[in-house]
Every structure is written in structure tokens, then in C-alpha cells.
């Protein structure tokens, strides 16, 4: 079964060779069960050269979900989302915006760390659109189980996963956006887009961009009241 798929696809990263994640997603309502199951996922080629799959973390009944892109180098090693530098900045911004970091559920569009090796260092590489599509069943399963009222889309990968390839964070940030049609609705009331905290870390106008991130997160906090 999955073993055949992997060997048939070995050495090639052609989208059609990979089945997508759905056959590995367990039934039921448990959020905790997803992280275990994702370790076996062979839905696309990204499980290779990684330490582990990184599923979301946070309260299973959180009102707010934060959706990033994919685990980074630290997250791959530790098995938790947003534990590296971008995560620390995000937590500080959440607190500043009046949101309790321990009350939100953090996750990513893609569950394995895509990277290239350069001089022995693992350099982040954004997932391709086809890899995002293959991995989507995991995010949909999380949303179906956590049933949040709102979701913050951190950066272009999350924004485009929700609203399609033409979505631009810069044009839509910091205001109420609808709950995406393809997502399990349940309590879903809104999404809100904002630039990824990693882009704030890289910015030459870091203080300004951090203040703008905080302002966007304040809007999310208000939408929850
Ligand atoms: N960037 C992300 O998008 N997600 C993480 O978990 C860490 C960094
Ligand atoms: Fe499965 Fe997603 Fe990992 Fe691809 S990135 S192997 S679809 S969990």
C-alpha cells in the first residue's frame, strides 16, 4: 500500500505520484490522535530528510487557531509548531495584542519541513502548491476537531490555502475576512490575514512591522469578544 507508493515515487517529486494525506488521517474527534498518525503520512515527498511531522498544538477547544506555513528547523527537531525565533516573536505579539498565547491553537498548512541543504545548513524553502494541496487533509481535520471561531492566516501560504492563489496578504490584512468555503464550518465566524512573523524578523523596519502585526492581532482579539 503506502510502501508501494513510496518506492514507486522514489527519486521523483511528481505530484501525480503522491496520494495526498487523506488515507492517513484517522477518524474520530481526537485532536491528539492526529500527531501520532501524521508520523506515518506518506502523502507527499516532504516526509523525507525530516525528523518528524509537526502537528498543531494548543487547547483542543481553542476559539482561535493560528495558521502558519510549515515547521522550521527548530520545530522539525522539537516536534512542536512555533518554538523557534518566529514563534517567540509571535508569542510576544499575541501578548501585546491582549491574546493569551496559551489559549490559542497553533498549526501550519504543511506538516513537514521543506528545506534545501546549503553548506550543511538546512535552509527553509516554501512548500509548492501541490504539496500544500496534498497536505490539506491534516489542516481540515484539525479545524474539524478544534472547531475554532476564528483563524489568523500568517503569511501568503496560509492565505492562499484559505482563499486561492490570487490572495494577497498586503491587500487584505488586519480586517474581517469570511470563513473559507472549503473549511469545516462549525463555529467558524472569521479569518484574518497578517504577514508571517518570520518576515517581521527579517524586515529592515522591524519595529514598525511588529507594531502592525500587533495591530492586526488586536483586531482578531476584538472579533472574539
Ligand atoms: N514558521 C511557521 O510557519 N511555522 C512554524 O511552526 C514555525 C515557523
Ligand atoms: Fe504527509 Fe503533509 Fe508530510 Fe506531505 S507534508 S508527507 S502530506 S504530512
Amino acid at each position: 500500500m503506502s510502501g508501494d507508493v513510496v518506492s514507486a515515487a522514489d527519486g521523483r517529486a511528481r505530484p501525480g505520484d503522491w496520494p495526498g494525506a487523506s488515507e492517513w488521517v484517522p477518524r474520530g474527534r481526537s485532536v491528539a490522535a492526529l500527531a501520532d498518525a501524521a508520523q506515518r503520512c506518506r502523502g507527499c515527498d516532504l516526509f523525507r530528510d525530516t525528523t518528524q511531522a509537526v502537528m498543531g498544538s494548543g487547547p483542543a477547544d481553542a476559539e482561535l487557531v493560528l495558521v502558519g506555513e510549515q515547521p522550521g528547523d527548530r520545530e522539525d527537531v522539537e516536534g512542536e509548531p512555533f518554538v523557534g525565533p518566529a514563534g517567540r516573536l509571535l508569542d510576544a505579539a499575541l501578548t501585546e495584542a491582549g491574546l493569551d498565547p496559551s489559549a490559542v491553537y497553533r498549526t501550519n498548512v504543511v506538516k513537514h519541513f521543506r528545506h534545501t541543504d546549503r553548506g550543511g545548513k538546512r535552509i527553509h524553502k516554501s512548500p509548492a502548491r501541490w504539496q500544500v494541496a496534498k497536505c490539506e487533509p491534516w489542516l481540515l481535520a484539525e479545524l474539524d476537531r478544534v472547531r475554532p471561531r476564528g483563524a489568523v492566516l500568517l503569511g501568503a501560504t496560509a492565505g492562499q490555502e484559505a482563499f486561492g492563489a490570487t490572495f494577497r496578504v498586503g491587500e487584505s490584512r488586519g480586517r474581517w475576512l469570511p470563513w473559507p468555503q472549503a473549511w469545516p464550518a462549525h463555529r467558524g465566524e472569521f479569518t484574518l490575514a497578517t504577514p508571517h512573523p518570520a518576515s517581521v524578523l527579517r524586515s529592515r523596519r522591524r519595529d514598525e512591522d511588529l507594531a502592525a502585526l500587533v495591530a492586526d492581532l488586536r483586531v482578531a482579539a476584538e472579533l472574539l469578544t
Side-chain angles (χ1 to χ4, degrees):
M1 205 199 70
S2 56
D4 296 341
V5 171
V6 172
S7 53
D10 250 340
R12 301 176 303 204
R14 284 211 309 265
D17 293 336
W18 296 94
S22 35
E23 66 184 88
W24 286 274
V25 179
R27 292 179 208 282
R29 293 267 355 254
S30 163
V31 186
L34 295 176
D36 268 354
Q39 304 312 326
R40 294 184 286 278
C41 185
R42 300 293 181 262
C44 78
D45 61 321
L46 292 183
F47 68 92
R48 294 170 175 161
D49 304 322
T50 60
T51 311
Q52 57 197 318
V54 180
M55 194 52 61
S57 82
D61 59 352
E63 293 205 312
L64 190 65
V65 166
L66 306 182
V67 185
E69 182 191 68
Q70 63 171 6
D73 183 73
R74 283 314 308 161
E75 290 78 16
D76 170 77
V77 173
E78 293 190 30
E80 291 276 320
F82 290 107
V83 291
R88 281 197 296 280
L89 182 108
L90 180 61
D91 278 358
L94 284 167
T95 304
E96 180 83 25
L99 287 160
D100 176 1
S102 69
V104 302
Y105 183 90
R106 296 170 186 69
T107 192
N108 288 299
V109 170
V110 164
K111 311 308 187 195
H112 277 106
F113 174 36
R114 189 182 194 205
H115 59 277
T116 50
D117 287 290
R118 207 175 297 150
K121 256 191 103 178
R122 303 194 301 173
I123 308 295
H124 162 276
K125 190 173 174 192
S126 286
R129 275 169 54 76
W130 71 267
Q131 290 160 332
V132 169
K134 299 286 182 189
C135 204
E136 187 184 42
W138 291 115
L139 177 65
L140 299 185
E142 290 179 290
L143 292 166
D144 190 38
R145 293 164 199 221
V146 177
R147 308 187 172 199
R149 289 175 55 207
V152 175
L153 310 167
L154 298 166
T157 302
Q160 292 177 3
E161 140 61 34
F163 295 114
T166 59
F167 184 84
R168 297 287 172 269
V169 174
E171 293 164 10
S172 306
R173 68 180 293 177
R175 57 183 167 83
W176 181 94
L177 297 171
W179 193 255
Q181 278 180 359
W183 285 10
H186 302 298
R187 297 189 288 166
E189 294 168 20
F190 69 89
T191 59
L192 180 136
T194 191
H196 196 286
S199 76
V200 176
L201 279 179
R202 287 191 306 267
S203 170
R204 275 177 291 145
R205 299 180 312 256
R206 190 151 149 186
D207 290 352
E208 249 170 81
D209 289 353
L210 178 57
L213 172 64
V214 170
D216 290 349
L217 292 173
R218 270 203 192 103
V219 175
E222 278 160 25
L223 287 168
L224 285 174
T225 58

